Amino acid sequence: MKTGRSTSAPTIAQAHRFALIKEIGCICCWIKGVPNVPAEIHHLTVGGKHGQKRRGHDCTVGLCQWHHRGVLRYIGAQLAAGLGPSYALEPRRFRDEFGTDDQLLGFQNQAIALAVAA
């Protein structure tokens, strides 16, 4: 039995969504005009708060290590300063800058639609 807040295994369509998200890159960097920053899959939660139940694989966005977990490994502190706050380190400020979970999901879905149309 799995532990933690994991969701079930993704369907083929959901796995395709994950691949497109990774291809597009971090949605927050995309919003800031910096395309193709490698992204991790972030599952949005019920209520949009840390520690809440995940909404499922269809409610996912791509976040780089900085925006997702506050890790500066690939982008550096100087670039991160221009890309806005980290969800892990400053969730309230992150939401103020990038919007609610539903707004981020809308941006992500728009980016996926553009990628599929291209």
Side-chain angles (χ1 to χ4, degrees):
M1 175 177 258
K2 291 183 180 181
T3 59
R5 297 181 317 232
S6 295
T7 52
S8 62
T11 66
I12 292 171
Q14 291 165 335
H16 182 64
R17 176 186 175 78
F18 292 172
L20 287 170
I21 288 172
K22 288 182 178 182
E23 182 181 314
I24 292 163
C26 176
I27 195 65
C28 295
C29 292
W30 185 79
I31 290 167
K32 289 286 195 173
V34 183
N36 304 318
V37 176
E40 303 171 338
I41 302 299
H42 171 68
H43 287 79
L44 302 175
T45 60
V46 175
K49 304 288 184 183
H50 283 89
Q52 300 285 331
K53 182 178 177 182
R54 290 179 175 182
R55 291 168 57 181
H57 295 312
D58 294 324
C59 295
T60 50
V61 297
L63 298 177
C64 65
Q65 288 186 346
W66 166 250
H67 285 116
H68 195 201
R69 299 181 285 123
V71 175
L72 294 171
R73 184 174 185 182
Y74 294 107
I75 63 171
Q78 188 174 17
L79 181 57
L83 294 178
S86 163
Y87 176 74
L89 302 177
E90 300 179 272
R92 181 172 287 142
R93 206 171 137 235
F94 179 89
R95 286 186 192 89
D96 288 345
E97 180 133 354
F98 296 109
T100 65
D101 281 3
D102 287 335
Q103 289 170 319
L104 274 179
L105 183 59
F107 289 132
Q108 185 68 72
N109 290 339
Q110 178 185 11
I112 290 171
L114 290 171
V116 169

